[in-house]
């Protein structure tokens, strides 16, 4: 500011200004301005640097790693490099098992692999694609060292396990030999890579698409319940005088003060068939003793418990938006002749849409990734896709599949965001 | 051109309490004839807005009855009262365009599309915002929003329009301009307007009559000039315009004239307006512009005072004096190029007529 002032003051008035403005020592004004601002930018960057670093290390990098894991498949070519090379010449549609050179290569590879003990890992990896592979590699690995190198390997391998003579085994090996695979993703949408191409899995083995659909459906239901229950509460919070609304706010926030597990367990106590609610209903005679309601270990349980847990996330954004809507709007609408309902629907409600958007997105995203509560109260019919992801991460150790499921979940959320942006507009989201 | 189509309003013994312990409005009786521009003027907390809200239907009266065109409206919900209202911050619906805002009262009345459009257009033209129909309220300046708010309150042809400090958010110049515009709209279409403000200039400029509120009671209900010239009590004298207060005791009353001895012993002749009789305490009210430096012996009151401070204001000079122990005594001298000989610290003689100084109720 000072530089421009001095320039305009010092410049002779007759001078026409076609060239860009400069400071008094001839540096272009823009350059000078940039220099002046650079220090501030640097300082701002330094202040956020620790957080940026933290996020990169603990958030961005793991997500990138997960994305990579969902397609990574180096294990076959790393463990059996010679076999993979030899298999390249084999025609899997020929209907015959590969010839002696491939078995010789396999023997050489297995000798190294058993020494490093990597053959069992390969076995469990291939077991995801075809069952029996794990035990096949274990068994073969134990006996590979005792093979007679003078005799033909093919017969010796088939002698260890007939599977080596079967064409299916080799087809699986060949199909999963490239370093990148779409196998995990196909698996995640109930498809499989067969020698004949990509096919749907047999009906009885399809689980994930159904789970995705159920996750979406339950999340939307929970979001709807939260909105229906939260809207009036948020309205009360915004409309009541400060003293009463503060008390109400404490009640809304009270669930945050207790552990998630405690709350979920409390729902178990309440909802189970010998639980408080059922006992009460039987006592009042509304339901018979034999007809006790099943409200837990199914979808109902998941919906009730999750709605309760996520309700504050709907109420708070709604409240913060409603708080800013002056009561004079509704008054104005009424003075202009609108009934209570018209005043609400045409004047008040449209102004709360940003809050509804924010609350709904928040609740939806949280619920789509929830797994503790569904695990505890969902039984088998109320679990989410996240429960499967957790299972593959911690129990079956099929991280590739877990990663692929996670990526699909992420993609679904992003897609929904996009749709929401197209319909409502993301600028219309207001958290406070 | 005004054949009045305004509504008549009557408050009958209306009382209002929010907490059941104190009365915000104490026994209000007020008659507003059709077509009148009535202003409720008073400091904040005086009950004026509450009176307006009771008329609009947003606050129930605790006691008493309000009549609109002779029918009681206590049990009529706001949307059925057919009263237009302009709010303090306009309350234009932010998610609707200007035209949609104006069409809203017509829509909820089930008016046809063509008629709606025509009425909206006419209302926008009335406030000279013809081309602004498609804009959002947030895209308008304060003054334009104000006009839209007025147009919206008038578009459905109400007989009565209420305005709750509608000009409070505007700057001084715009406020003065809007005062004239609202006044002209009132003159042209002849609705009744009840206007609430705490700004006395606004009240004096626009109103047919002004009700001065304080402490939940109407202190005085008169035309603007009457209010200024003949305040009925000290509060009104103090609240409307500038005023010099002098405390004293009544020594003599004869008809409308009286004599008052000020606390320092000075005797003044005054007009008896609101005193209890000989011996009672009183406050003399005197407008600064009625005091003369060019005294002559025929004046009713002649007093000596010393000049404490002089402020040059262009068209007039404000002289702060110490008169009869009151150091806040203000005299306004019109700037006619004369009397430039006044100096701070001088003691001079000033005078005024007995009819210009009113003996009112005593203030503590």
């Amino acid at each position: 500011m000072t530089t421009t002032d001095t320039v305009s003051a010092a410049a002779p008035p007759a001078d026409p200004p076609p060239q860009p403005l400069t400071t008094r020592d001839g540096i272009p004004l823009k350059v000078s301005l940039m220099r002046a601002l650079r220090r501030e930018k640097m300082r701002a960057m330094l202040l956020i640097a620790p957080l940026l670093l933290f996020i990169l290390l603990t958030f961005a990098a793991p997500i990138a790693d997960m994305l990579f894991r969902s397609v990574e498949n180096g294990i076959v070519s790393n463990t059996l490099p010679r076999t993979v090379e030899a298999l390249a010449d084999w025609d899997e549609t020929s209907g015959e098992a590969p010839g002696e050179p491939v078995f010789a290569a396999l023997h050489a590879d297995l000798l190294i692999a058993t020494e490093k003990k990597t053959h069992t890992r390969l076995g469990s990896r291939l077991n995801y694609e075809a069952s029996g592979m794990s035990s096949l590699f274990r068994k073969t690995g134990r006996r590979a060292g005792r093979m007679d190198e003078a005799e033909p390997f093919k017969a010796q391998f088939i002698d260890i396990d007939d599977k080596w003579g079967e064409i299916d085994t080799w087809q699986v090996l060949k199909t999963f030999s490239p370093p990148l695979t779409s196998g995990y993703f196909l698996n995640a949408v109930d498809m499989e890579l067969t020698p004949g191409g990509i096919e749907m899995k047999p009906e009885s083995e399809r689980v994930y698409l159904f789970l995705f659909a159920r996750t979406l459906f339950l999340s939307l239901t929970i979001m709807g319940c939260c909105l229906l229950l939260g809207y009036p509460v948020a309205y009360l919070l915004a409309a009541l005088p400060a003293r009463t609304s503060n008390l109400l706010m404490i009640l809304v926030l009270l669930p945050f003060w207790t552990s998630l597990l405690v709350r979920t367990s409390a729902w178990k106590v309440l909802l189970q068939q010998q639980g408080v609610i059922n006992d009460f209903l039987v006592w009042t005679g509304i339901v018979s003793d034999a007809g006790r309601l099943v409200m837990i270990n199914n979808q109902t349980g998941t919906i009730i418990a999750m709605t309760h847990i996520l309700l504050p996330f709907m109420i708070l954004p709604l409240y913060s938006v409603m708080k800013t809507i002056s009561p004079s709007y509704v008054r104005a609408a009424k003075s202009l002749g609108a009934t209570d309902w018209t005043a609400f629907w045409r004047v008040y409600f449209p102004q709360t849409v940003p809050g509804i958007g924010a609350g709904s997105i928040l609740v939806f995203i949280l619920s789509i990734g929830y797994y503790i509560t569904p695990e505890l109260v969902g039984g088998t019919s109320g679990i989410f896709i996240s429960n499967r992801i957790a299972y593959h991460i911690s129990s079956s150790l099929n991280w590739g599949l877990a990663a692929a499921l996670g990526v699909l979940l992420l993609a679904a959320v992003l897609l929904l965001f996009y749709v929401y942006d197209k319909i409502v507009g993301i600028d219309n989201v207001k958290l406070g | 051109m005004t054949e009045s189509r305004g509504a008549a309003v009557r408050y009958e013994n209306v009382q209002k309490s929010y907490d059941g312990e104190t009365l915000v409005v104490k026994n209000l009786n007020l008659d507003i004839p059709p077509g009148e521009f009535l202003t409720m003027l008073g400091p904040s907390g005086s009950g004026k807005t509450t009176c307006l809200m009771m008329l609009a239907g947003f606050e129930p009266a605790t006691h008493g009855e309000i009549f609109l065109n002779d029918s009681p409206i206590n049990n009529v919900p706001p949307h059925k009262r057919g009263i237009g209202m302009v709010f303090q911050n306009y309350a234009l619906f932010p998610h609707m365009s200007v035209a949609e805002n104006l069409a809203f009262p017509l829509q909820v009345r089930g008016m046809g599309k063509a008629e709606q459009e025509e009425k909206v257009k006419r209302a926008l033209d009335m406030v000279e915002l013809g081309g602004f129909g498609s804009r959002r309220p947030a895209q308008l300046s304060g003054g334009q929003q104000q006009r839209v708010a007025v147009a919206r309150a008038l578009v459905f042809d109400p007989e009565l329009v209420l305005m709750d400090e509608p000009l409070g958010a505007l700057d001084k110049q715009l406020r003065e301009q809007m005062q004239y515009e609202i006044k002209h709209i009132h003159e042209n279409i002849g609705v009744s307007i009840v206007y609430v403000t705490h700004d006395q200039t606004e009240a004096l400029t626009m109103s047919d009559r002004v009700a001065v509120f304080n402490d939940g009671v109407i202190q005085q209900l008169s035309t603007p000039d009457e209010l200024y010239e003949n305040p009925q009590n000290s509060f009104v004298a103090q609240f409307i315009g500038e005023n010099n207060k002098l405390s004293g005791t009544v020594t003599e009353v004869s008809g409308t004239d009286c004599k008052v001895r000020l606390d320092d012993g000075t005797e003044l002749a005054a007009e008896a307006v609101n005193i209890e009789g000989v011996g009672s305490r009183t406050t003399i009210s005197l407008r600064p512009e009625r005091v003369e430096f060019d005294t002559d012996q025929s004046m009713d009151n002649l007093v000596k005072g010393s000049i404490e401070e002089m402020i040059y204001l262009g068209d007039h000079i404000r002289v702060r004096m110490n008169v009869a122990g009151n150091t806040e005594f203000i005299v306004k001298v019109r700037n006619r190029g004369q009397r430039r000989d006044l100096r701070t610290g001088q003691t001079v003689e000033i005078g005024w007529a007995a009819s210009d100084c009113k003996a009112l109720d005593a203030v503590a």
Side-chain angles (χ1 to χ4, degrees):
Chain A
M1 280 312 266
T2 12
T3 47
T4 41
D5 288 346
T6 11
V7 167
S8 53
D15 199 46
Q19 68 262 65
L21 281 175
T22 60
T23 57
R24 282 177 86 177
D25 42 5
I27 306 163
L29 199 58
K30 283 196 172 168
V31 176
S32 180
L33 181 69
M34 215 129 83
R35 270 184 211 161
L37 291 180
R38 190 175 304 149
R39 262 180 66 108
E40 283 180 32
K41 278 190 192 155
M42 286 289 288
R43 198 158 28 176
M45 278 298 285
L46 274 177
L47 280 174
I48 62 159
L51 178 64
L52 201 64
L53 205 67
F54 176 78
I55 286 184
L56 276 179
L57 283 178
T58 63
F59 190 68
I63 284 187
D65 181 58
M66 180 191 81
L67 291 175
F68 179 64
R69 251 175 216 282
S70 62
V71 292
E72 190 261 352
N73 190 41
I75 190 161
V76 179
S77 51
N78 285 341
T79 323
L80 309 171
R82 294 170 193 82
T83 320
V84 168
E85 210 171 297
L87 266 177
D89 299 331
W90 175 59
D91 178 11
E92 66 262 46
T93 54
S94 64
E96 285 172 39
E100 182 62 21
V102 173
F103 281 96
L106 179 63
H107 180 246
D109 283 335
L110 272 180
L111 281 184
I112 299 169
T114 43
E115 204 163 304
K116 291 198 211 152
K117 292 195 169 36
T118 51
H119 66 293
T120 50
R121 238 188 279 163
L122 175 66
S124 30
R125 161 69 186 96
L126 288 175
N127 206 50
Y128 301 147
E129 313 298 340
S131 50
M133 286 298 236
S134 182
S135 59
L136 175 65
F137 272 89
R138 238 172 256 279
K139 198 160 135 195
T140 318
R142 273 198 301 273
R143 291 165 60 175
R146 281 179 270 143
M147 279 185 179
D148 187 347
E149 307 216 355
E151 298 291 310
F153 287 111
K154 185 168 179 175
Q156 295 187 56
F157 269 106
I158 294 174
D159 188 39
I160 295 172
D161 197 312
D162 289 342
K163 277 196 169 171
W164 288 119
E166 284 167 21
I167 189 161
D168 292 353
T169 315
W170 291 100
Q171 276 173 341
V172 168
L173 256 183
K174 179 151 182 173
T175 313
F176 290 93
S177 56
L180 293 179
T181 178
S182 56
Y184 293 124
F185 275 103
L186 292 172
N187 218 334
V189 292
D190 291 335
M191 292 175 163
E192 57 188 351
L193 196 59
T194 61
I198 296 166
E199 284 172 12
M200 287 303 287
K201 280 189 182 175
E203 199 93 23
S204 58
E205 289 174 28
R206 293 181 196 168
V207 277
Y208 298 116
L209 278 185
F210 174 71
L211 265 181
F212 270 117
R214 182 203 278 162
T215 305
L216 280 185
F217 168 74
L218 285 182
S219 297
L220 286 174
T221 311
I222 290 161
M223 186 184 93
C225 289
C226 282
L227 182 59
L228 280 181
L229 294 175
Y231 198 93
V233 177
Y235 176 78
L236 269 184
L237 272 175
L240 286 177
R243 261 186 57 191
T244 336
S245 78
N246 279 345
L247 187 71
L248 193 59
M249 181 62 105
I250 290 174
L251 292 180
V252 167
L253 294 177
L254 204 60
F256 280 141
W257 300 357
T258 39
S259 146
L260 180 73
L261 285 173
V262 173
R263 275 178 282 156
T264 310
S265 314
W267 278 117
K268 284 199 122 152
V269 174
L270 285 169
L271 295 175
Q272 62 192 331
Q273 283 199 283
Q274 302 301 320
V276 178
I277 293 176
N278 265 315
D279 282 349
F280 179 74
L281 290 178
V282 169
W283 179 69
T284 54
I286 295 173
V287 298
S288 67
D289 198 29
R292 283 171 180 263
L293 302 174
V294 186
M295 294 183 291
I296 195 114
N297 296 332
N298 58 12
Q299 295 192 0
T300 319
T302 304
I303 291 172
I304 293 177
M306 297 244 321
T307 300
H308 170 239
I309 284 162
L310 295 177
L311 202 51
F313 294 99
M314 179 65 86
I315 293 176
L316 294 178
L318 273 176
Y319 163 72
S320 74
V321 167
M322 287 177 177
K323 193 80 188 157
T324 63
I325 301 174
S326 158
S328 67
Y329 288 123
V330 170
R331 286 187 163 186
K334 286 187 191 169
S335 82
L336 293 170
T339 57
D340 289 353
W341 170 251
T342 315
F344 167 76
W345 184 245
R346 296 272 319 272
V347 173
Y348 191 79
F349 180 79
Q351 296 188 62
T352 60
V353 166
I356 295 177
S360 300
I361 286 190
L362 208 56
V363 168
F364 182 77
I365 304 263
L366 281 172
S367 73
I368 212 173
Y370 236 70
Y371 80 98
I372 298 177
T373 307
E375 184 78 45
L376 292 176
V377 299
T380 48
S381 71
I383 61 161
F384 282 16
I385 193 73
S386 339
N387 296 94
R388 284 314 281 182
I389 297 181
Y391 165 77
H392 284 305
I393 292 270
S394 55
S395 300
S396 82
L397 299 184
N398 188 352
W399 287 18
L401 180 57
L405 289 170
V407 169
L408 286 179
L409 199 56
L410 183 65
V413 170
L414 291 180
L415 181 76
L416 283 170
F417 256 126
Y418 176 78
V419 172
Y420 181 88
D421 185 33
K422 283 285 148 205
I423 298 172
V424 185
I426 217 82
D427 324 338
N428 256 332
V429 168
K430 210 157 106 188
L431 280 169
Chain B
M1 67 183 290
T2 52
E3 133 269 348
S4 163
R5 57 179 181 77
V9 175
R10 191 164 85 249
Y11 289 85
E12 245 178 48
N13 303 322
V14 172
Q15 290 181 308
K16 173 72 185 175
S17 171
Y18 287 103
D19 53 6
E21 285 167 16
T22 48
L23 280 171
V24 183
V25 175
K26 298 169 185 161
N27 200 25
L28 177 76
N29 285 291
L30 179 59
D31 242 310
I32 306 174
E36 185 174 66
F37 194 127
L38 181 113
T39 298
M40 295 177 172
L41 173 69
S44 53
S46 60
K48 56 189 195 306
T49 302
T50 306
C51 285
L52 194 76
M53 289 302 166
M54 285 192 288
L55 181 53
F58 299 128
E59 293 289 351
T62 313
H63 174 81
E65 190 73 64
I66 302 173
F67 295 87
L68 186 64
N69 287 336
D70 292 324
S71 47
I73 54 168
N74 278 16
N75 294 318
V76 179
H79 66 272
K80 290 196 177 140
R81 295 193 180 189
I83 299 174
M85 186 152 181
V86 181
F87 289 81
Q88 204 163 5
N89 292 310
Y90 320 138
L92 296 176
F93 307 139
H95 58 291
M96 298 184 191
S97 71
V98 168
E100 284 166 343
N101 262 286
L102 292 189
F104 184 84
L106 308 176
Q107 272 169 18
V108 298
R109 285 174 169 74
M111 193 178 278
K113 264 266 182 281
E115 200 179 346
Q116 275 182 32
E117 269 168 35
E118 195 212 308
K119 286 217 167 205
V120 168
K121 191 179 169 307
R122 205 187 321 144
L124 278 178
D125 287 341
M126 179 181 72
V127 293
E128 289 158 22
L129 286 173
F132 289 80
S134 57
R135 300 231 194 145
R136 286 289 166 102
Q139 294 168 307
L140 302 180
S141 70
Q144 288 167 337
Q145 292 185 26
Q146 172 58 56
R147 286 177 207 198
V148 175
V150 172
R152 189 179 65 175
L154 289 167
V155 71
F156 59 100
D157 299 322
E159 296 180 318
L160 172 63
V161 175
L162 311 182
M163 300 193 180
D164 182 14
E165 306 213 15
L167 305 182
L170 301 181
D171 61 54
K172 189 168 178 286
Q173 214 167 358
L174 208 51
R175 198 156 63 214
E176 282 168 8
Q177 190 192 336
M178 284 305 297
Q179 287 170 13
Y180 291 116
E181 281 190 32
I182 292 176
K183 191 175 162 70
H184 292 150
I185 287 173
H186 170 248
E187 283 164 4
N188 287 336
I189 60 179
V191 292
S192 306
I193 294 184
V194 178
Y195 191 102
V196 161
T197 183
H198 62 264
D199 181 341
Q200 41 132 334
T201 351
E202 217 165 276
L204 297 185
T205 311
M206 304 168 78
S207 322
D208 295 331
R209 280 195 304 164
V210 179
V212 182
F213 275 73
N214 189 38
D215 213 13
V217 175
I218 295 185
Q219 304 288 333
Q220 187 169 351
L221 173 67
S222 321
T223 56
D225 56 332
E226 184 68 17
L227 216 51
Y228 187 81
E229 302 288 345
N230 294 311
Q232 292 303 305
N233 59 39
S234 300
F235 175 82
V236 175
Q238 194 64 27
F239 196 75
I240 308 283
E242 219 175 344
N243 180 45
N244 287 315
K245 286 187 296 186
L246 296 167
S247 302
T249 313
V250 180
T251 53
E252 195 185 319
V253 184
S254 56
T256 59
D257 297 327
C258 66
K259 292 248 184 299
V260 175
R261 188 167 59 241
L262 300 185
D263 298 342
D264 74 331
T266 317
E267 287 272 354
L268 292 181
E271 189 181 315
V273 178
N274 187 1
I275 50 174
E276 284 164 18
V278 176
S280 65
R281 297 286 297 166
T282 180
T283 302
I284 300 269
S285 155
L286 174 61
R287 299 293 182 194
E289 69 276 12
R290 298 291 165 84
V291 183
E292 297 284 350
F293 282 102
D294 302 305
T295 52
D296 65 60
Q297 292 308 309
S298 65
M299 280 182 166
D300 300 324
N301 294 300
L302 289 170
V303 179
K304 279 203 184 331
S306 63
I307 299 177
E308 302 266 318
E309 192 180 2
M310 290 177 53
I311 301 165
Y312 181 78
L313 286 167
D315 61 336
H316 72 268
I317 301 162
R318 277 170 71 87
V319 184
R320 186 165 67 80
M321 301 183 70
N322 182 349
V323 173
N326 178 1
T327 57
E328 297 293 329
F329 194 94
I330 304 291
V331 182
K332 280 187 191 171
V333 189
R334 268 177 65 196
N335 187 355
R336 284 177 294 202
Q338 310 154 333
R339 302 289 338 187
R340 302 301 296 270
D341 54 334
L342 295 174
R343 293 284 172 274
T344 309
Q346 252 181 346
T347 301
V348 291
E349 192 177 49
I350 51 175
W352 61 86
S355 58
D356 285 334
C357 91
K358 320 280 182 193
L360 306 172
D361 53 321
V363 216

